Amino acid sequence: MSITNQSNSAMQPQRSQEGTLLHVVETLLDKGLVLNADIMVSVAGVELLGIRIRAALASFETAARYGLDFPAGTDRDTVAWKEAIEQKDTCPECGKRAELAQLMNAYCPWCGWQSAHSKQVESGGAAELKQSSTESEKSSESK
């Protein structure tokens, strides 16, 4: 009895399309990368040289979100700085970034997607408006 492997093609390595250099750089800037290294050179148990390296690679937005220090003289009153501090998130529909408060409470400015929370607020607001108009009609009829 011989056994043949019919799923031979499933065993072949495949390259993901998201593994491009652009995707890697975008992920690094979005999530950030911090390197901490302590290098010590010693001879016969005597430390001769000690180097401490700390490096961060991140966008201003990510660095501001995590509270990383910026070089002295960084102008924090610019429009770009204020935009970097605003909390943003990615729209699940179109994948573009927008202000978090707008995505959660209103809609995506790029594609119009609405979160479940904004739909609930919208329908709840309509129900409250309808209820208040009904109450005002009843009060005007009783007069």
Side-chain angles (χ1 to χ4, degrees), residues 36-55:
N36 287 328
D38 293 333
I39 302 170
M40 294 186 217
V41 178
S42 58
V43 175
V46 177
E47 186 178 317
L48 299 175
L49 179 66
I51 300 171
R52 178 169 284 168
I53 300 171
R54 292 199 175 141

Side-chain angles (χ1 to χ4, degrees), residues 4 8 11 20 30 50 69-70 82 99 103 108 111 124 141-142:
T4 59
N8 192 18
M11 300 299 286
T20 64
D30 185 41
D69 290 332
F70 290 94
K82 291 174 184 172
E99 189 178 332
L103 280 176
C108 174
C111 67
E141 287 176 3
S142 63

Side-chain angles (χ1 to χ4, degrees), residues 47-92:
E47 186 178 317
L48 299 175
L49 179 66
I51 300 171
R52 178 169 284 168
I53 300 171
R54 292 199 175 141
L57 173 67
S59 66
F60 274 103
E61 179 181 340
T62 303
R65 186 171 55 228
Y66 290 113
L68 295 176
D69 290 332
F70 290 94
T74 302
D75 186 7
R76 296 184 182 194
D77 295 327
T78 64
V79 175
W81 183 264
K82 291 174 184 172
E83 286 180 7
I85 291 177
E86 289 178 356
Q87 288 187 337
K88 294 184 179 179
D89 203 357
T90 304
C91 173

